[in-house]
Amino acid sequence: MYLVSACLVGVNCKYSGGNNETLWIKEWLKDKNCMLVCPEQKGNLPTPRPPAEWKDGKVIDKEGNDVTKSFMLGSKLTFEEALNKAKESGEHIELAILKANSPSCGSGTIYDGTFTGTQITGDGIFASMLKREGIPVVSELQETEVCR
């Protein structure tokens, strides 16, 4: 089973109310069992919502609100749901394709909290949970690694 950020297949759950549709992902998933995820919505954050970034060990939205608890809750609930779905289907989670740089889903790089597009080394909360459990995480920017 594969986990995929819902915004990457065209679901309008991005902070702005839009999506990050990525055609190669939609094509690649056609014959695969996948679960679409949006930890931010699962954490009861609205769509649209102010953008949020990591700053000083917290997730802060552009209006200055600390939304760390919502991000943590959404990531925890999404992770539990994914594990249950995999168990019920008799499969394991082979790979997660998650939105690059997101405070939930970013893998390897995240935005630095200045809201200037500056990236730093780090993982989003959900990506970090998956990695701790040994689940490989890639972003939509890593097509060649996924489609070998």
Side-chain angles (χ1 to χ4, degrees), residues 57-148:
K58 299 176 186 172
V59 183
I60 306 296
D61 73 18
K62 196 168 185 175
E63 296 173 354
N65 301 305
D66 182 346
V67 291
T68 308
K69 287 182 182 177
S70 294
F71 275 73
M72 295 289 286
L73 174 64
S75 294
K76 179 181 180 289
L77 293 174
T78 301
F79 183 65
E80 289 171 355
E81 183 180 345
L83 289 179
N84 288 335
K85 183 174 181 181
K87 184 178 180 180
E88 288 170 7
S89 68
E91 299 182 63
H92 67 281
I93 301 169
E94 295 183 45
L95 177 71
I97 305 173
L98 303 178
K99 179 66 190 110
N101 306 316
S102 158
S104 294
C105 296
S107 177
T109 59
I110 53 176
Y111 292 116
D112 74 346
T114 62
F115 298 94
T116 61
T118 303
Q119 298 172 12
I120 57 172
T121 300
D123 291 323
I125 295 171
F126 184 61
S128 180
M129 285 181 177
L130 295 174
K131 288 180 174 185
R132 277 195 304 270
E133 294 298 318
I135 298 167
V137 178
V138 297
S139 80
E140 77 279 10
L141 306 176
Q142 295 172 282
E143 178 179 5
T144 55
E145 292 178 36
V146 175
C147 297
R148 293 183 218 183

